[in-house]
Amino acid sequence: QVPLVESGGGLVKAGGSLTLSCAVSGRTFSGYGMGWFRQAPGKEREFVATINWSGGRTSYAKSVKGRFTISRDNTENTLYLQMNSLKPEDTAVYYCAAEPTGWGMLHSKYDYWGQGTQVTVSS
């Protein structure tokens, strides 16, 4: 198994910024694709961003493109999501996830999930 632990969530005002982190245990982090997903109250879980094993390929949901940046530090075994220009619509529980192929963009391959961290954006 691949334990994932998200952190960095909190309450911010609209227009503000927040950085989420996901610490990954184990020795195989560098070989995994990684992603961020979120689930808002009363809504289904949705894709936010993915990054491949090397960090050279990323993808973003249309709703966050240009505002959010996904990155990874394979030395620290940590995934990041830098969120800028936050909107109330970004309020959700954010989850990090890992998939073993390393490609990242294939959402069906995400088999490992963190516990989630709450992000609340006030208007």
Side-chain angles (χ1 to χ4, degrees):
Q1 63 178 2
V2 183
L4 310 175
V5 180
E6 301 97 333
S7 63
L11 175 64
V12 298
K13 294 181 178 180
S17 297
L18 197 64
T19 300
L20 305 183
S21 299
C22 176
V24 183
S25 299
R27 299 181 176 88
T28 60
F29 173 78
S30 62
Y32 282 72
M34 300 293 297
W36 288 100
F37 300 79
R38 67 187 182 186
Q39 187 167 20
K43 303 291 185 180
E44 297 297 321
R45 185 186 67 196
E46 65 177 353
F47 149 74
V48 175
T50 67
I51 188 166
N52 77 336
W53 70 271
S54 69
R57 287 284 184 270
T58 59
S59 64
Y60 297 92
K62 293 182 179 66
S63 60
V64 307
K65 195 170 187 177
R67 299 188 298 119
F68 291 11
T69 302
I70 188 172
S71 62
R72 66 191 297 163
D73 187 328
N74 287 349
T75 300
E76 296 183 354
N77 286 4
T78 304
L79 176 74
Y80 301 97
L81 184 67
Q82 175 64 50
M83 304 183 292
N84 298 322
S85 301
L86 283 162
K87 306 174 181 179
E89 306 89 85
D90 295 317
T91 295
V93 176
Y94 283 70
Y95 299 90
C96 67
E99 58 86 16
T101 75
W103 295 353
M105 73 289 293
L106 299 176
H107 298 175
S108 64
K109 300 297 184 180
Y110 282 89
D111 294 331
Y112 307 99
W113 296 82
Q115 83 288 349
T117 186
Q118 177 71 49
V119 172
T120 302
V121 184
S122 62
S123 58

